[in-house]
């Protein structure tokens, strides 16, 4: 797990804001690592200001298996009121897979029991896909 340093507090207003923050992080990876999926959790305070961005898992070219337990433990430990999940599709296709949809439902249900809101799950590729904007995330 790796914590991304936050240079200045950013307020998340939309999936576009998430994309603008995360795209440079993905682009900064070494050339030899750009073919893998990287899964991040962004923790937010009550005013939707980022308090952390943590790399939760590095997958393969088409699969990532982030640890639900660690995502939730980190959110509780770092006092996040809400989360935004972000991962990339190295193919560039931002459409969510069945696994992406299943995982999002699973973690959303788990977070509800911890009184932490899942605000969005954003997939980055050629552009981005937002579960919240697409109506696939029920709060």
């Amino acid at each position: 797990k790796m914590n991304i340093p936050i240079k200045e507090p950013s307020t998340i207003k939309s999936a576009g804001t998430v994309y603008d923050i995360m795209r440079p992080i993905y682009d900064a990876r070494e050339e030899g690592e750009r073919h893998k999926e990287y899964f991040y959790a962004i923790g937010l305070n009550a005013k939707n200001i980022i308090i952390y961005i943590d790399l939760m898992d590095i997958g393969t070219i088409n699969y990532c298996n982030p640890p639900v337990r660690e995502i939730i433990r980190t959110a509780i430990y770092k006092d996040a009121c809400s989360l935004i999940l972000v991962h990339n599709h190295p193919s560039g296709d931002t459409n969510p897979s069945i696994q992406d949809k299943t995982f999002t439902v699973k973690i959303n249900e788990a977070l509800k029991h911890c009184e932490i809101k899942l605000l969005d799950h954003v997939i980055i590729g050629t552009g981005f896909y937002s579960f919240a904007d697409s109506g696939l995330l029920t709060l």
Side-chain angles (χ1 to χ4, degrees):
K1 194 170 93 162
M2 183 175 98
N3 188 306
I4 304 299
I6 299 169
K7 295 175 183 155
E8 58 186 65
S10 296
T11 303
I12 299 296
K13 297 177 181 167
S14 67
T17 306
V18 173
Y19 178 80
D20 291 343
I21 291 167
M22 295 303 296
R23 180 86 253 174
I25 292 170
Y26 281 105
D27 290 345
R29 291 175 297 155
E30 293 180 25
E31 191 66 38
E33 295 297 309
R34 292 186 181 188
H35 67 285
K36 297 177 183 177
E37 287 193 10
Y38 281 66
F39 192 99
Y40 291 89
I42 301 174
L44 304 153
N45 68 15
K47 294 183 178 182
N48 285 353
I49 296 172
I50 296 174
I51 53 177
Y52 69 87
I53 301 173
D54 280 0
L55 175 63
M56 302 307 295
D57 193 40
I58 300 172
T60 63
I61 59 170
N62 64 349
Y63 180 75
C64 207
N65 188 24
V68 172
R69 178 185 175 106
E70 279 302 303
I71 292 168
I72 293 172
R73 186 190 71 76
T74 301
I76 291 169
Y77 177 75
K78 294 186 177 184
D79 288 328
C81 291
S82 57
L83 285 181
I84 296 173
L85 305 177
V86 185
H87 80 282
N88 67 306
H89 282 176
S91 68
D93 179 1
T94 57
N95 289 310
S97 67
I98 297 296
Q99 292 85 1
D100 293 336
K101 292 175 183 178
T102 302
F103 177 81
T104 303
V105 169
K106 177 181 173 181
I107 195 160
N108 191 27
E109 287 303 311
L111 287 166
K112 284 179 184 177
H113 294 290
C114 301
E115 299 175 4
I116 298 170
K117 293 179 189 172
L118 180 59
L119 297 180
D120 206 346
H121 182 174
V122 177
I123 300 171
I124 293 179
T126 306
F128 66 90
Y129 177 92
S130 163
F131 276 75
D133 290 352
S134 300
L136 291 179
L137 187 63
T138 54
L139 299 176

